[in-house]
Amino acid sequence: MVLFKNYDKFLTNIYSQNGEDGVIGEILNELEIDVGSCIEFGASKGKDNSNTFSLVEKDWNALYIEADKKRFAELTLTTKNYPNVTLVNKYVSHKKGSDDLNSIIEDSDFEQNCDILSIDIDSEDLRVWEVFTGQPKIVIIEINSSLKPGILNYHLERYPGNSFSSTYKAGKKKGYVLLCHTGNLIFLRKDLFKFSRLSIFYIYFPKLLYKR
């Protein structure tokens, strides 16, 4: 039924954890982006549960940020044959300053307004995004999916992780439309929504995209 057109049928994994690879692929098809740029943190070992490594293999330029030294060493080995990847071993702060995402990207001479930003640090994901001034086309951000829509929670206000509703609210304020929930929330910049397959029905009822 056209009214309920969404991205569920595209959920497939190459390196992602919950079907994000397939959804991202479909969104990029709609935007007619073949090769672009992406930023991912924490990038961990590179391939493990990565939302962007399948794009790196297609010659996308990538900035991978990982704070843990042991994981960063493995990430370095994973990406050694990919000159299109810039690596940073640094903790991304959720407070404005020399270690926030803006500064790390600027110091790395990378593009803030990249095609894809993937945020997965199991803690202050949402606050990090809120202080970021860039406007990527697509933003993928992990949430605590056990917190049902209607619960407003930032990491450790009451529970670990960030809730669906708090993250949705922040994304909307930053000029994004929610396209899909996989365990991550996948947002598209609002000016690009006209290219999306998502039925406008979900703009008015975004909580129906939630999956427990």
Side-chain angles (χ1 to χ4, degrees), residues 146-197:
S146 69
L147 302 176
K148 296 179 181 180
I151 297 174
L152 295 175
N153 186 76
Y154 278 63
H155 180 59
L156 294 182
E157 284 184 341
R158 287 180 291 170
Y159 311 102
N162 306 283
S163 68
F164 178 100
S165 292
S166 289
T167 308
Y168 168 78
K169 186 177 179 181
K172 184 177 180 181
K173 185 177 180 181
K174 289 176 73 69
Y176 286 83
V177 174
L178 178 63
L179 297 187
C180 189
H181 171 221
T182 63
N184 294 294
L185 293 189
I186 301 178
F187 289 93
L188 181 66
R189 209 170 62 204
K190 191 175 181 180
D191 62 299
L192 301 172
F193 179 69
K194 60 188 176 183
F195 300 109
S196 171
R197 67 178 284 105

Side-chain angles (χ1 to χ4, degrees), residues 115-178:
D115 294 297
I116 298 175
L117 170 66
S118 180
I119 306 172
D120 182 358
I121 52 175
D122 299 323
S123 58
E124 296 288 6
D125 306 61
L126 183 49
R127 290 188 176 101
V128 167
W129 188 25
E130 285 191 323
V131 301
F132 180 50
T133 58
Q135 287 281 298
K137 295 181 178 71
I138 301 164
V139 174
I140 308 157
I141 179 169
E142 187 179 46
I143 65 166
N144 181 344
S145 294
S146 69
L147 302 176
K148 296 179 181 180
I151 297 174
L152 295 175
N153 186 76
Y154 278 63
H155 180 59
L156 294 182
E157 284 184 341
R158 287 180 291 170
Y159 311 102
N162 306 283
S163 68
F164 178 100
S165 292
S166 289
T167 308
Y168 168 78
K169 186 177 179 181
K172 184 177 180 181
K173 185 177 180 181
K174 289 176 73 69
Y176 286 83
V177 174
L178 178 63

Side-chain angles (χ1 to χ4, degrees), residues 10-25 46-58:
F10 298 101
L11 291 166
T12 54
N13 293 315
I14 302 173
Y15 298 110
S16 62
Q17 186 174 13
N18 299 303
E20 291 86 357
D21 281 326
V23 173
I24 294 164
K47 294 182 180 181
D48 294 2
N49 301 329
S50 173
N51 295 319
T52 62
F53 198 80
S54 63
L55 301 174
V56 165
E57 293 184 327
K58 297 177 182 177

Side-chain angles (χ1 to χ4, degrees), residues 3-86:
L3 180 63
F4 300 109
K5 222 171 164 185
N6 57 40
Y7 290 89
D8 288 356
K9 71 178 183 179
F10 298 101
L11 291 166
T12 54
N13 293 315
I14 302 173
Y15 298 110
S16 62
Q17 186 174 13
N18 299 303
E20 291 86 357
D21 281 326
V23 173
I24 294 164
E26 175 59 17
I27 297 169
L28 293 175
N29 286 338
E30 292 167 350
L31 299 178
E32 298 184 347
I33 299 173
D34 293 321
V35 179
S37 59
C38 58
I39 299 169
E40 183 160 355
F41 70 98
S44 189
K45 303 172 186 177
K47 294 182 180 181
D48 294 2
N49 301 329
S50 173
N51 295 319
T52 62
F53 198 80
S54 63
L55 301 174
V56 165
E57 293 184 327
K58 297 177 182 177
D59 295 325
W60 276 52
N61 291 320
L63 173 62
Y64 277 180
I65 308 167
E66 173 55 47
D68 183 85
K69 291 189 180 301
K70 185 176 179 181
R71 288 180 179 174
F72 184 79
E74 294 184 65
L75 175 63
T76 301
L77 289 174
T78 301
T79 59
K80 67 179 181 179
N81 294 323
Y82 296 94
N84 48 317
V85 178
T86 300

